[in-house]
């Protein structure tokens, strides 16, 4: 068996094209969808992520209100900026790029963003809405995973999904989304405290691996024909590359692709979906703001 490699780049491009068409339609009504991305400091990975978001904003025709603050920015200054953006009706979405410098409390910052502008889906109100199935912004990476499964028409109802990782950004929310009635999986969550993980993963029809550690999932840990969604992004040294490193996921892609039915590559799998779903959330925020005027 050789897996179908899920092309996250193409699915994300389709999502962005749909968003762009709706953004153009909103413009005709005088509404200009706008996202404010706040970056504090010069963390290279964060700078790279923000650049990707800015490119996507340009592509879909949204207004980019990015703010780049120095590493030394005080917590009160950041909270004051968020308060201004919350009150600005021309800004529909606010995203603060994480991680923040150590002297700034991330929880305080997330809590400061108005839930109706929380396009990252991290505010406790957004998380609560997701938990009980009320309308609200879904976190981008977990939502992107569900869209990939749906796009590939992978049967999920009644299937056993195993999630490796329990982070607030991926592991926990994707477990909730997989268990919701519209997806309908039976979900097991594994983490660093799990014993005999391979026994559990070998029962899985769908495995989402988001451990943040290379080689977490190996071919001997999956049954023939399982679906593997790899969320990991790990930099490993590679002297043959101009950058001096290459990106790999949390699973052994080369071995797994010979045993699975579907698998996402790294890069080019889940990553592009994260930004595409952010564009979709920002569009929805603009549409909500327009309809409530």
């Amino acid at each position: 068996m050789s897996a179908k490699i899920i092309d996250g780049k193409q699915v994300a491009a389709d999502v962005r094209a749909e968003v762009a068409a709706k953004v153009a339609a909103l413009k005709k009504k005088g509404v200009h969808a706008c996202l404010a991305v706040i970056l504090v400091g010069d963390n290279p990975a964060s700078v790279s992520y923000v650049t990707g978001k800015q490119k996507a904003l340009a592509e879909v025709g949204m207004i980019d209100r990015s703010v780049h603050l120095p590493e030394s920015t005080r917590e009160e200054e950041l909270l004051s900026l968020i308060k201004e953006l919350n009150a600005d009706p021309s800004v529909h979405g606010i995203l603060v790029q994480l991680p923040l410098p150590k002297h700034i409390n991330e929880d305080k910052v997330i809590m400061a963003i108005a839930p109706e502008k929380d396009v990252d889906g991290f505010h406790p109100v957004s998380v609560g809405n997701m938990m009980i199935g009320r309308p609200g912004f879904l976190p981008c990476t977990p939502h992107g995973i569900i869209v990939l499964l749906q796009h590939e028409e992978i049967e999920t109802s009644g299937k056993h999904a195993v999630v490796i990782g329990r982070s607030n950004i991926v592991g926990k929310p994707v477990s909730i989304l997989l268990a919701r009635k519209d997806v309908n999986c039976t979900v097991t969550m594994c983490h660093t405290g799990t014993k005999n993980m391979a026994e559990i993963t070998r029962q899985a029809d769908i495995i989402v691996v988001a451990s943040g550690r290379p080689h977490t999932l190996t071919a001997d840990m999956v049954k023939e024909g399982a679906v593997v969604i790899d969320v990991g992004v790990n930099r490993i040294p590679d002297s043959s590359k101009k950058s001096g490193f290459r990106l790999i996921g949390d699973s052994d892609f080369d071995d797994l692709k010979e045993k699975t039915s579907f698998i996402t590559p790294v890069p080019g799998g889940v990553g592009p979906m994260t930004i595409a779903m952010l564009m979709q959330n920002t569009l929805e925020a603009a549409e909500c703001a327009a309809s409530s005027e």
Side-chain angles (χ1 to χ4, degrees), residues 177-216:
L177 293 181
L178 285 164
R180 292 209 316 190
K181 277 193 177 171
D182 55 340
V183 182
N184 221 26
C185 286
T186 299
V187 182
T188 304
M189 186 192 284
C190 296
H191 44 72
T192 49
T194 302
K195 291 176 180 166
N196 306 322
M197 192 186 295
E199 282 179 29
I200 298 166
T201 55
R202 277 195 285 266
Q203 299 170 37
D205 303 301
I206 299 165
I207 302 171
V208 177
V209 55
S211 60
R213 192 167 48 84
H215 315 298
T216 296

Side-chain angles (χ1 to χ4, degrees), residues 200-254:
I200 298 166
T201 55
R202 277 195 285 266
Q203 299 170 37
D205 303 301
I206 299 165
I207 302 171
V208 177
V209 55
S211 60
R213 192 167 48 84
H215 315 298
T216 296
L217 187 71
T218 51
D220 60 325
M221 295 171 70
V222 307
K223 70 179 181 185
E224 197 82 29
V227 174
V228 171
I229 306 291
D230 190 341
V231 188
V233 182
N234 303 289
R235 292 181 178 208
I236 61 163
D238 185 342
S239 56
S240 71
K241 300 282 184 187
K242 192 175 164 187
S243 60
F245 66 85
R246 64 189 168 93
L247 298 179
I248 62 166
D250 292 344
S251 64
D252 287 352
F253 178 82
D254 290 335

Side-chain angles (χ1 to χ4, degrees), residues 23 26 29 74 90 107 134 161 179 196 203 205 215 230-231 269:
V23 167
L26 271 184
K29 296 177 185 171
R74 297 194 330 273
S90 71
D107 284 345
R134 288 192 62 207
N196 306 322
Q203 299 170 37
D205 303 301
H215 315 298
D230 190 341
V231 188

Side-chain angles (χ1 to χ4, degrees), residues 2 6 19 42 45 48 52 83 96 99 123 127 132 149 168 187 234 242 252:
S2 189
I6 300 172
V19 168
D42 296 292
S48 169
K83 193 175 177 183
V96 178
H123 193 286
V127 176
I132 60 175
L149 293 171
N168 291 338
V187 182
N234 303 289
K242 192 175 164 187
D252 287 352

Side-chain angles (χ1 to χ4, degrees), residues 10 12 59 67 70 87 117 132 164 204 219 280:
Q10 186 55 56
E59 185 189 335
V67 184
K117 297 190 180 189
I132 60 175
I164 305 174
Q280 186 162 309

